[in-house]
């Protein structure tokens, strides 16, 4: 599985670790910047072009989890 990237967005860190261990793939780095006005910036720390990207994130409370997932999806789409 050389063309697979797994990113943990924070809310489900343990689940992401278990998935990556089971698949024998390291978690890809991710940078999340939270600004004072509540905005977030998500940067994928690895090249995702022509790769299968999996974003691991709970969409339960708080609502910022869903927002972070949506921003990460946008970042992944723009990267490939």
């Amino acid at each position: 599985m050389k063309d697979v990237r797994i990113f943990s967005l924070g809310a489900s860190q343990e689940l992401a670790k278990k998935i990556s261990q089971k698949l024998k793939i390291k978690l890809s780095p991710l940078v999340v910047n939270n600004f004072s006005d509540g905005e977030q910036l998500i940067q994928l720390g690895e090249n995702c072009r022509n790769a299968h990207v999996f974003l691991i994130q709970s969409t339960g409370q708080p609502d910022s989890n869903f927002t972070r997932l949506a921003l990460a999806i946008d970042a992944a789409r723009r990267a490939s």
Side-chain angles (χ1 to χ4, degrees), residues 7-14 16 30 32 56-58 65 68:
F7 294 93
S8 173
L9 301 175
S12 300
Q13 190 72 13
E14 287 301 314
L30 180 79
V32 178
I56 311 299
Q57 173 78 335
S58 169
N65 289 350
R68 185 174 289 181

Side-chain angles (χ1 to χ4, degrees), residues 16-80:
K17 286 180 185 176
K18 288 180 182 180
I19 291 170
S20 67
Q21 288 171 353
K22 188 75 167 175
L23 296 176
K24 297 180 178 147
I25 299 172
K26 67 179 179 102
L27 283 176
S28 298
L30 180 79
V31 176
V32 178
N33 291 322
N34 294 307
F35 298 102
S36 59
D37 64 352
E39 295 292 321
Q40 295 182 21
L41 173 67
I42 307 288
Q43 294 177 315
L44 305 178
E46 202 167 301
N47 185 358
C48 296
R49 189 170 298 274
N50 297 322
H52 298 281
V53 175
F54 294 92
L55 304 168
I56 311 299
Q57 173 78 335
S58 169
T59 56
Q61 297 298 330
D63 292 335
S64 63
N65 289 350
F66 184 76
T67 302
R68 185 174 289 181
L69 177 61
L71 290 170
I73 291 169
D74 181 60
R77 291 187 76 201
R78 290 174 189 258
S80 62

